[in-house]
Amino acid sequence: MPRSRWLRSVGAFLLPAPCWAPQVRWLGLLRQPSLVHGCPVLGAWHSARRWCQAWTEEPRALCSSLRMNGDQKSACAQEKQDFIQHFSQILKVLTEDDEGHPEIGDAIVRLRKVLEYNAIGGKYNRGLTVLAVFQELVEPRKQDAESLQRALTVGWCVELLQAFFLVLDDIMDSSLTRRGQPCWYQKPGIGLDAINDAMLLDSCIYRLLKFYCREQPYYLNLLELFLQSSYQTEIGQTLDLLTAPQGDVDLGRFTEKRYKSIVKYKTAFYSFYLPVAAAMYMAGIDGKKEHANAKKILLEMGEFFQIQDDYLDLFGDPSVTGKIGTDIQDNKCSWLVIQCLQRASPEQRQILQDNYGQKDTEKVALVKALYEELELPAVFKQYEEDSFSHLMGLIEQYAAPLPPAIFLGLAHKIYKRKK
């Protein structure tokens, strides 16, 4: 029997924390009450088993990280496949009745194309998180076909919100590729019509919520959550645009404080808090304290995620990430330029001033060479370790009464990611 499986069979209490873990009082997590299926005792044991699995297996997707039994890899693959297959039902609800409509039929055909091109092909992490957290929090006997279908649909609503943002973001950034294919606006015959297509994607979210969740007690909470998440993300995008207008390079605008504000609003709320909070509302967890504590963990996780994104924009492999990074050309207030400014000599700062925010490939190469000269890849690696340890501490402190496994699954999913 493999050692990891044997350890899981006898329980987490025999297992020391790994060498890379922070010096946390990690068993303290097991002593805290946990709201798994409304049962503190079951919740504590469930969390213990999950900690053991987290320490004895390579990090997997969140859906498998929350599993107690069975082949986790195949379970994760099956859940992802179920999620993708549900998209056909999403398309049916959004388009089938009106495709033959004498007045709007051709517009609905266009909507179908927009959905098929922009909603499919990502990692689906945000949508799958809704499903996984819902299944973690709701009693198995209450997870009937209808409730699981609603969870799948809300997961797809998060994915549609992501698609809405990305279509517009690609236009604003003049991006070329997304998910390994041309950006939607770059497709022949699309161009700036993509702006209206993005608004269609956004409208679909609320049509789906009304169709599937209107009679549920959490319907209003979901509406407010999605509207607030959209607003927060749009405010974050506004901060980003104001801080780094194209053609107006002002390195003085690039401060760590402003960067953190951009990341918090543009990325963290909708990428991390939204999917977990949606599942919490669907599970009947609507207390301010529970949501505030979850937010403390998830916003920090969102910052960690965005800093990874900034690093991968320049140093990632486009064949893996699925996109060609343009942060330097776009004059972005990224983590890399912040770190460069904190370390640069006056001469190096001048190099940055002369070359940042310009489309010239030679100037982009000079900025990248400057980052490498300042050893920013090594700085990032150290940050990644330190930030992950900090996340473990936040999970220990704020996870209860929710199961720590919810947050551990997300953290392990993004730790050392390559795309």
Side-chain angles (χ1 to χ4, degrees):
M1 176 184 293
R3 180 173 167 227
S4 62
R5 185 178 299 174
W6 179 82
L7 286 167
R8 288 199 303 277
S9 70
V10 298
F13 298 101
L14 301 178
L15 190 67
C19 59
W20 49 262
Q23 296 303 309
V24 295
R25 293 127 339 256
W26 69 280
L27 284 174
L29 280 166
L30 309 181
R31 293 193 290 269
Q32 298 172 1
S34 181
L35 287 178
V36 176
H37 314 321
C39 176
V41 175
L42 176 60
W45 173 243
H46 181 96
S47 295
R49 290 290 299 271
R50 300 315 317 145
W51 270 94
C52 189
Q53 288 181 344
W55 295 153
T56 56
E57 297 179 12
E58 293 184 5
R60 303 185 193 276
L62 176 62
C63 54
S64 62
S65 178
L66 300 182
R67 284 283 171 265
M68 290 182 66
N69 300 304
D71 184 337
Q72 296 188 338
K73 189 171 182 179
S74 61
C76 176
Q78 184 59 52
E79 286 189 4
K80 185 173 183 178
Q81 188 62 33
D82 291 344
F83 185 77
I84 294 170
Q85 287 179 351
H86 188 64
F87 184 69
S88 62
Q89 181 65 26
I90 297 294
L91 277 178
K92 182 178 179 180
V93 169
L94 292 173
T95 66
E96 187 175 69
D97 288 346
D98 291 327
E99 278 189 306
H101 193 285
E103 294 179 322
I104 64 172
D106 52 345
I108 301 302
V109 171
R110 167 71 171 233
L111 172 60
R112 174 182 283 272
K113 291 178 180 178
V114 171
L115 287 163
E116 290 174 336
Y117 193 90
N118 294 288
I120 296 294
K123 298 183 289 292
Y124 309 112
N125 286 340
R126 295 167 182 84
L128 285 166
T129 295
V130 176
L131 179 63
V133 176
F134 175 82
Q135 290 178 312
E136 179 78 357
L137 294 176
V138 175
E139 295 178 64
R141 65 184 179 85
K142 294 183 178 180
Q143 294 181 31
D144 56 24
E146 289 187 359
S147 67
L148 288 172
Q149 189 174 64
R150 286 192 291 270
L152 286 166
T153 299
V154 173
W156 271 109
C157 286
V158 178
E159 291 295 321
L160 290 178
L161 187 67
Q162 162 82 339
F164 161 57
F165 291 145
L166 293 184
V167 169
L168 294 177
D169 197 56
D170 287 341
I171 296 171
M172 286 181 271
D173 290 347
S174 302
S175 297
L176 300 175
T177 60
R178 171 71 65 182
R179 296 170 175 168
Q181 60 184 1
C183 298
W184 176 244
Y185 83 99
Q186 292 276 6
K187 295 278 289 179
I190 302 298
L192 294 182
D193 291 353
I195 296 171
N196 189 70
D197 295 333
M199 290 190 289
L200 285 173
L201 290 169
D202 185 44
S203 298
C204 287
I205 295 167
Y206 302 99
R207 292 182 61 204
L208 289 169
L209 290 177
K210 181 179 179 181
F211 185 86
Y212 281 95
C213 303
R214 187 179 186 181
E215 304 302 321
Q216 301 305 312
Y218 50 76
Y219 177 53
L220 180 58
N221 282 331
L222 287 184
L223 285 179
E224 291 181 342
L225 177 65
F226 274 90
L227 288 169
Q228 181 68 5
S229 296
S230 295
Y231 173 72
Q232 289 163 329
T233 306
E234 288 152 11
I235 286 293
Q237 178 71 354
T238 303
L239 290 175
D240 194 9
L241 294 171
L242 290 172
T243 305
Q246 291 191 27
D248 181 14
V249 180
D250 181 357
L251 299 179
R253 295 192 186 106
F254 296 164
T255 66
E256 188 166 19
K257 181 179 179 181
R258 173 48 70 101
Y259 176 77
K260 286 178 176 289
S261 297
I262 293 170
V263 168
K264 176 182 177 181
Y265 283 89
K266 184 178 177 179
T267 300
F269 276 112
Y270 95 92
S271 292
F272 288 87
Y273 177 65
L274 168 61
V276 174
M280 289 171 66
Y281 283 130
M282 295 180 77
I285 301 172
D286 57 6
K288 290 184 178 179
K289 183 178 180 180
E290 288 87 347
H291 279 265
N293 284 347
K295 193 178 292 184
K296 287 176 183 177
I297 299 169
L298 295 164
L299 294 186
E300 190 73 20
M301 204 176 290
E303 181 177 309
F304 177 39
F305 178 87
Q306 184 59 52
I307 290 173
Q308 289 176 313
D309 243 24
D310 289 356
Y311 176 80
L312 293 172
D313 180 87
L314 183 62
F315 292 106
D317 181 351
S319 68
V320 176
T321 63
K323 59 183 179 180
I324 300 170
T326 59
D327 281 359
I328 293 174
Q329 298 93 312
D330 294 336
N331 188 31
K332 288 292 185 181
C333 180
S334 80
W335 183 82
L336 289 170
V337 75
I338 296 291
Q339 299 304 310
C340 178
L341 288 168
Q342 290 176 354
R343 293 165 171 77
S345 67
E347 294 78 13
Q348 291 169 323
R349 185 185 177 97
Q350 189 59 51
I351 293 172
L352 188 65
Q353 181 71 57
D354 293 341
N355 295 282
Y356 200 74
Q358 300 186 50
K359 306 294 184 184
D360 189 311
T361 55
E362 292 185 4
K363 293 189 174 187
V364 173
L366 285 171
V367 174
K368 183 175 182 180
L370 177 58
Y371 288 171
E372 291 171 334
E373 181 182 337
L374 292 170
E375 298 182 342
L376 294 193
V379 173
F380 170 76
K381 298 299 182 187
Q382 186 60 52
Y383 161 80
E384 191 170 39
E385 297 299 326
D386 294 344
S387 183
F388 187 79
S389 294
H390 179 56
L391 276 176
M392 294 298 103
L394 288 176
I395 292 169
E396 178 191 10
Q397 185 176 359
Y398 293 111
L402 299 181
I406 289 173
F407 305 103
L408 290 169
L410 282 169
H412 280 291
K413 177 61 180 173
I414 64 175
Y415 179 59
K416 291 188 179 297
R417 69 187 178 95
K418 300 300 181 184
K419 61 179 181 178

